[in-house]
Amino acid sequence: MALHMAVEVVRDSRTSLTAQIQSFIKREISEGILHPGTRLPSSRRLAGDLDVSRSVVVEAYGQLVAEGYLEATQGAGTRVVTHLDAAPPVVPALLDEAPVPAVRWDLRTGGRNLPAFPRREWLACYQRVLQAAQPADHGYPPLAGEPGLRTELARYLGRVRGVRVTAGQVMVVAGFAQALGLLCTVLRQDGVDALGIEDPGHPGQRQFVHETGLRPVPVPVDEEGIDVDALAATGVRAVLVTPAHQFPTGVTLSPARREALVRWARDTGGRIVEDDYDGGLWYERGPRPLALQRLAPEHVVYAGTASKALAPGLRLGWVAAPPDLLARLLRTRARHDLGTDGLTQLAFAELLRGGLFDRHLRRLGAHCRERREALEEAVRRHLPGATVTGRAAGLHAYVTLPRHTDEAALVAGALRRSVVVRGGSAFRVRPRRDAPALVVGHAHLPRAGVADALRAIGAAYPGG
Amino acid sequence: MALHMAVEVVRDSRTSLTAQIQSFIKREISEGILHPGTRLPSSRRLAGDLDVSRSVVVEAYGQLVAEGYLEATQGAGTRVVTHLDAAPPVVPALLDEAPVPAVRWDLRTGGRNLPAFPRREWLACYQRVLQAAQPADHGYPPLAGEPGLRTELARYLGRVRGVRVTAGQVMVVAGFAQALGLLCTVLRQDGVDALGIEDPGHPGQRQFVHETGLRPVPVPVDEEGIDVDALAATGVRAVLVTPAHQFPTGVTLSPARREALVRWARDTGGRIVEDDYDGGLWYERGPRPLALQRLAPEHVVYAGTASKALAPGLRLGWVAAPPDLLARLLRTRARHDLGTDGLTQLAFAELLRGGLFDRHLRRLGAHCRERREALEEAVRRHLPGATVTGRAAGLHAYVTLPRHTDEAALVAGALRRSVVVRGGSAFRVRPRRDAPALVVGHAHLPRAGVADALRAIGAAYPGG
């Protein structure tokens, strides 16, 4: 343990070096600069660093132990005593999540319903990358992302999502949130002051758009996806959509609506932001919907993320955009940070390159399909009249309840039975037009947990 | 290889499934959506995914191989042929670095002069973290940083830099650039329109400050550090300083100037941003200067980074700020991204906790001290009259040249001899007041390289 410690001593002082070291450390501890539990360097180390005789430090440490500031433990070295720890560190809570109540099942979406992280595969890729890394790989990453990852992303997005893009048009970002933040800034530069958003949709995104200074304008969603006539009527010049698997309803934008949406963009010069948040995670039989972007790459900004398929903690996302817009996104980013963690980028490129990401998605898809099937069965059993609607994809499912159901009462009843679940109204801006519903994050549950949680909800169900 | 591929087929079409698959893939390749070299799923996989008989896919693939779109290689599966690769991906160059000329020695600072990354230690920490990770560790990281890292940083900063801070006042950021960007935004909200910067100083930071919308106001630096009277005369309300080891001159802010600077902040309500960019990397004998922040934690925002001591590629930095300011920095960040890569944060916490970071710094210090000594010797030998000034710390050294030296001619002459080095004027805003100089990044050089590079520079030296 070659620890460092800052100590101020004056060599030609009339105070002895021992007394100086002793009183310096005492003051640092008293003022909370040296924290309780902090391990200090060995007396040999500190003496060497200060260029004083070791006995000087041994004596100072000894005095501080005697006075109760330090404790010396066989094998664990010398530490600041911990019982001085009066005030625990205060973490500003304003932006941290509300504490999760201690419940049996938490079915909420968004950062909680996480599937298992493929730690073995990820570690193997990270290790390979680290071992092959050249000095430049540890330097400032290119602002648009590591070229190796951009190439792999372009290939992957073409193959799996049908995105029309070259590596030069892909930008790596710190998650979709950063992409959306940059886009909102660029839109504002173009005089755009409002962004169409889906209703129901993602409440966090709505809030995020609002905080970037754009006005979020809700546009209704029905069983074909976003209502393009309603969008056109709002007069907005940009819209954020989830065409493959609408969040939270799970519907896919119908072919007719896709065409209408692209026509809207062409006719009005509008911008479409395609949030393909769980595009790679599809477990329905038969072909999956391709990216909307391929129909009009000049009007659509395509954005994806590793948050659903892998883990939000990686803070890894990507954007495919026309070159002029990409250049402006980069310019905007250059005022915010200097790129995304290089090793994480390269490890993800490795995961893509070797096909391990595809394999992970296939396993995750099988896992989620099981949960979905368990959910369908449990809904039939415990929520008669309700149905699981929306496509079999992603980490959550949408359960449509019979018209007469009191959604709020059901959600409250579930909570009393130790199940946290959100009703459809938590995702709506405008008063309810569509049927009451539950939004069920299921990816993190054990199979039996799905049935157990639904049984508890069923007990709060009218007639349950 | 359980690869996915998006293919659109219509089951009740009059066109055969084979023909549909064939023409879909052909079109995707022709339009550049499927990229050259992309590996496709096995016929068995694709048939399974599309729910068609395997022979349908085998026949489609066979036709595409015959037509020259695909190639099938024993053991390597089926790929899109690579010779169609007409246009290489275009990476927008506007923000990427100018290409480094192929020279023998590149002595420039900033992302090039990187010491060896401690890959074994880092991997061990990363692996430990990954193996111990709970699902929540893969979720959205807290915006202010992982609590474990904030605690370790507060301890480390107290012990090694004498920073006066609790874990609750530390924020983890994506490198110092993000910290500076957030600070500039908050300053602008307070009506501040200009930021004092050191002259000479970091040209990239000057540019960055300018791009965030603040006016960078140069304040002269002399052998005692920033000139506080000159600072006061500018009338700015905030200043960015490098007190421990001024960049690039390497001087330490003198005790008298520290007090004057703090007095300026108290008298005017000014904000001091302390960029302690290489604060942990000190290899001069005797005590090192402590953080300025400890003198006036209510006026100083302390910022550090892993870019110098570890690697810029990690994009990891930290800020210690008073609670009200920290809350505003967090609120601002909440509009930009949703936090920093969690695993990287936790691995760094592990590196700090176990003392491995201290050990790394000690080794790196010994490495840099050798380079510094080699440089001092080579300067005596090849640049008579010049001296290595500034403290023995960090990844670079400042070589002051005799008054009469033509700095620009020396830099140009060195380049002709295949050595890239920057003169002091590259770091100055105002016309030269101080002596001509060279700024030498030495941390990445082999020992013998220091002598070799200086010999080449010496050959371009007047009388050399």
Side-chain angles (χ1 to χ4, degrees):
Chain A
M1 295 276 281
L3 296 175
H4 288 263
M5 180 164 61
V7 177
E8 274 178 341
V9 288
V10 182
R11 213 152 279 275
D12 46 3
S13 156
R14 266 184 296 179
T15 314
S16 76
L17 287 167
T18 294
Q20 285 187 53
I21 294 171
Q22 192 185 330
S23 68
F24 182 89
I25 294 177
K26 199 189 289 188
R27 199 178 63 236
E28 298 291 283
I29 294 173
S30 308
E31 298 188 3
I33 297 177
L34 272 177
H35 292 233
T38 298
R39 184 161 173 180
L40 304 192
S42 68
S43 51
R44 190 179 56 76
R45 279 283 175 202
L46 185 58
D49 287 349
L50 297 177
D51 206 12
V52 300
S53 127
R54 188 175 167 190
S55 63
V56 164
V57 178
V58 168
E59 198 183 329
Y61 275 14
Q63 285 291 336
L64 290 163
V65 169
E67 292 178 34
Y69 285 92
L70 300 182
E71 56 192 359
T73 323
Q74 194 81 38
T78 305
R79 286 179 191 275
V80 179
V81 291
T82 50
H83 59 75
L84 289 175
D85 200 356
V90 180
V91 180
L94 80 156
L95 286 154
D96 287 317
E97 289 244 307
V100 178
V103 293
R104 204 159 43 160
W105 302 114
D106 186 345
L107 307 186
R108 290 177 297 175
T109 55
R112 291 179 203 85
N113 61 328
L114 301 174
F117 184 75
R119 68 176 87 193
R120 199 168 47 79
E121 292 83 351
W122 180 261
L123 184 63
C125 290
Y126 196 90
Q127 189 162 4
R128 246 188 332 262
V129 159
L130 196 51
Q131 266 147 11
Q134 300 298 308
D137 292 328
H138 294 294
Y140 290 93
L143 199 56
E146 294 287 352
L149 178 55
R150 300 172 77 189
T151 300
E152 289 303 325
L153 278 172
R155 286 185 172 184
Y156 172 80
L157 294 175
R159 171 168 59 84
V160 173
R161 307 296 302 125
V163 174
R164 203 179 286 272
V165 73
T166 64
Q169 290 163 3
V170 174
M171 172 179 176
V172 179
V173 287
F176 177 70
Q178 184 175 52
L180 185 57
L182 296 174
L183 279 162
C184 288
T185 304
V186 168
L187 287 169
R188 284 182 62 194
Q189 287 165 358
D190 290 342
V192 172
D193 63 353
L195 179 69
I197 54 159
E198 295 173 328
D199 184 16
H202 194 303
Q205 278 182 6
R206 188 162 61 232
Q207 178 65 19
F208 187 88
V209 167
H210 174 75
E211 289 195 356
T212 67
L214 288 184
R215 188 166 41 90
V217 177
V219 180
V221 167
D222 60 25
E223 63 286 349
E224 286 193 73
I226 194 166
D227 179 338
V228 180
D229 290 338
L231 168 68
T234 64
V236 296
R237 294 162 57 194
V239 66
L240 171 61
V241 288
T242 51
H245 187 228
Q246 204 274 331
F247 188 84
T249 64
V251 302
T252 294
L253 195 64
S254 71
R257 289 278 176 85
R258 292 183 153 231
E259 281 181 25
L261 185 56
V262 165
R263 205 162 44 237
W264 167 83
R266 292 211 171 106
D267 292 350
T268 66
R271 247 343 152 192
I272 301 168
V273 182
E274 175 173 22
D275 176 10
D276 196 31
Y277 66 102
D278 62 3
L281 189 57
W282 194 266
Y283 38 92
E284 207 167 273
R285 283 231 166 259
R288 65 176 79 183
L290 299 185
L292 176 70
Q293 183 266 6
R294 61 190 276 121
L295 299 182
E298 68 284 14
H299 292 288
V300 181
V301 179
Y302 174 91
T305 172
S307 292
K308 302 292 175 274
L310 220 44
L314 295 174
R315 304 314 304 129
L316 206 55
W318 42 90
V319 174
D324 60 322
L325 182 63
L326 193 76
R328 294 175 62 203
L329 292 172
L330 280 171
R331 247 180 273 243
T332 305
R333 180 167 188 178
R335 297 199 300 270
H336 290 174
D337 65 37
L338 295 179
T340 300
D341 187 336
L343 291 174
T344 299
Q345 286 192 61
L346 292 170
F348 185 52
E350 190 70 18
L351 201 73
L352 284 165
R353 189 179 297 117
L356 288 175
F357 188 60
D358 283 75
R359 197 174 72 182
H360 167 67
L361 282 177
R362 204 173 278 275
R363 282 187 191 154
L364 182 54
H367 169 97
C368 289
R369 188 190 297 118
E370 276 192 3
R371 270 76 199 148
R372 167 91 175 197
E373 286 165 2
L375 180 68
E376 288 170 351
E377 194 187 312
V379 163
R380 273 194 299 274
R381 192 155 169 177
H382 302 294
L383 302 177
T387 45
V388 182
T389 50
R391 313 294 295 267
L395 307 178
H396 79 282
Y398 196 79
V399 179
T400 301
L401 301 166
R403 279 271 159 209
H404 63 271
T405 317
D406 183 341
E407 183 188 291
L410 186 60
V411 166
L415 184 59
R416 278 194 304 275
R417 286 161 184 86
S418 205
V419 175
V420 190
V421 64
R422 287 222 180 92
S425 58
F427 301 85
R428 282 186 211 102
V429 183
R430 296 202 174 145
R432 196 167 87 195
R433 303 152 32 102
D434 36 1
L438 297 176
V439 178
V440 177
H442 54 51
H444 61 307
L445 297 179
R447 237 195 104 113
V450 177
D452 192 50
L454 268 286
R455 193 177 307 119
I457 299 175
Y461 193 61
Chain B
M1 297 276 281
L3 297 174
H4 287 264
M5 180 165 62
V7 176
E8 274 179 341
V9 289
V10 182
R11 213 152 278 275
D12 47 3
S13 156
R14 266 183 298 179
T15 314
S16 77
L17 286 167
T18 293
Q20 285 187 53
I21 294 171
Q22 191 185 331
S23 68
F24 182 89
I25 295 178
K26 198 190 288 188
R27 198 177 65 235
E28 298 290 283
I29 294 173
S30 308
E31 299 187 2
I33 297 176
L34 272 177
H35 293 235
T38 299
R39 185 160 173 180
L40 304 193
S42 68
S43 53
R44 190 178 55 77
R45 279 284 175 201
L46 185 58
D49 287 349
L50 298 177
D51 207 11
V52 301
S53 126
R54 186 174 169 191
S55 63
V56 165
V57 178
V58 169
E59 197 183 331
Y61 274 15
Q63 285 292 335
L64 289 163
V65 169
E67 291 178 36
Y69 286 92
L70 299 182
E71 55 192 3
T73 322
Q74 194 81 38
T78 305
R79 285 179 190 275
V80 178
V81 291
T82 51
H83 58 75
L84 288 175
D85 199 357
V90 181
V91 180
L94 82 156
L95 286 153
D96 286 318
E97 290 245 306
V100 177
V103 293
R104 205 163 40 164
W105 302 115
D106 187 345
L107 307 186
R108 290 177 296 175
T109 55
R112 291 178 203 85
N113 62 328
L114 300 175
F117 184 76
R119 71 176 83 194
R120 199 167 47 81
E121 291 83 352
W122 180 261
L123 185 62
C125 291
Y126 196 90
Q127 190 162 3
R128 241 184 340 256
V129 159
L130 197 51
Q131 265 148 10
Q134 299 299 307
D137 293 327
H138 296 293
Y140 290 92
L143 198 57
E146 293 287 352
L149 178 55
R150 299 173 77 190
T151 299
E152 290 303 326
L153 278 172
R155 286 185 172 185
Y156 172 81
L157 294 175
R159 170 168 58 85
V160 173
R161 306 296 301 126
V163 174
R164 205 180 283 274
V165 73
T166 63
Q169 289 162 4
V170 174
M171 172 180 177
V172 179
V173 287
F176 177 70
Q178 183 174 52
L180 185 56
L182 296 174
L183 278 163
C184 289
T185 304
V186 168
L187 287 170
R188 284 181 62 194
Q189 287 166 358
D190 290 342
V192 172
D193 63 353
L195 180 68
I197 54 158
E198 295 173 327
D199 183 17
H202 195 303
Q205 276 182 7
R206 190 161 59 232
Q207 178 64 21
F208 188 88
V209 168
H210 173 77
E211 289 195 357
T212 65
L214 287 185
R215 187 166 43 87
V217 177
V219 180
V221 167
D222 59 26
E223 62 286 349
E224 286 194 74
I226 194 166
D227 180 338
V228 180
D229 290 338
L231 168 68
T234 63
V236 296
R237 292 163 54 195
V239 64
L240 171 60
V241 287
T242 51
H245 188 228
Q246 203 274 333
F247 187 84
T249 65
V251 302
T252 294
L253 194 64
S254 71
R257 289 278 177 85
R258 291 185 155 229
E259 280 180 25
L261 186 56
V262 165
R263 207 162 42 236
W264 167 83
R266 292 211 171 108
D267 291 351
T268 66
R271 242 350 148 189
I272 301 169
V273 182
E274 175 173 22
D275 177 9
D276 196 32
Y277 65 103
D278 62 5
L281 190 56
W282 193 266
Y283 38 92
E284 209 167 272
R285 283 232 165 257
R288 64 177 80 184
L290 300 185
L292 176 70
Q293 184 265 5
R294 62 191 274 121
L295 299 182
E298 68 285 13
H299 291 287
V300 181
V301 179
Y302 174 92
T305 171
S307 291
K308 301 292 175 273
L310 220 46
L314 295 175
R315 305 313 306 126
L316 206 55
W318 43 90
V319 175
D324 59 323
L325 182 63
L326 193 77
R328 294 175 62 203
L329 292 172
L330 282 171
R331 248 181 272 246
T332 306
R333 180 166 188 179
R335 297 198 300 269
H336 291 174
D337 65 37
L338 295 180
T340 301
D341 187 336
L343 291 175
T344 299
Q345 286 191 63
L346 292 171
F348 185 51
E350 190 70 17
L351 202 72
L352 285 167
R353 189 178 297 116
L356 288 174
F357 187 61
D358 281 76
R359 198 175 73 183
H360 167 68
L361 281 177
R362 204 172 277 276
R363 281 187 192 154
L364 182 55
H367 169 97
C368 289
R369 188 190 298 121
E370 276 193 3
R371 270 75 199 149
R372 167 91 175 199
E373 287 165 1
L375 180 68
E376 287 170 352
E377 194 188 313
V379 164
R380 274 195 298 274
R381 191 157 171 179
H382 302 294
L383 301 177
T387 43
V388 183
T389 50
R391 311 296 294 267
L395 308 178
H396 80 282
Y398 196 77
V399 179
T400 302
L401 302 166
R403 278 270 159 210
H404 64 272
T405 317
D406 183 340
E407 181 188 292
L410 185 61
V411 166
L415 185 58
R416 280 195 303 274
R417 286 161 183 86
S418 206
V419 175
V420 191
V421 64
R422 287 222 180 92
S425 59
F427 300 84
R428 281 186 212 103
V429 182
R430 295 204 174 144
R432 196 168 86 195
R433 302 152 32 100
D434 38 0
L438 297 177
V439 178
V440 178
H442 55 52
H444 62 307
L445 297 180
R447 238 195 104 111
V450 177
D452 192 50
L454 268 287
R455 192 177 306 120
I457 299 174
Y461 193 61

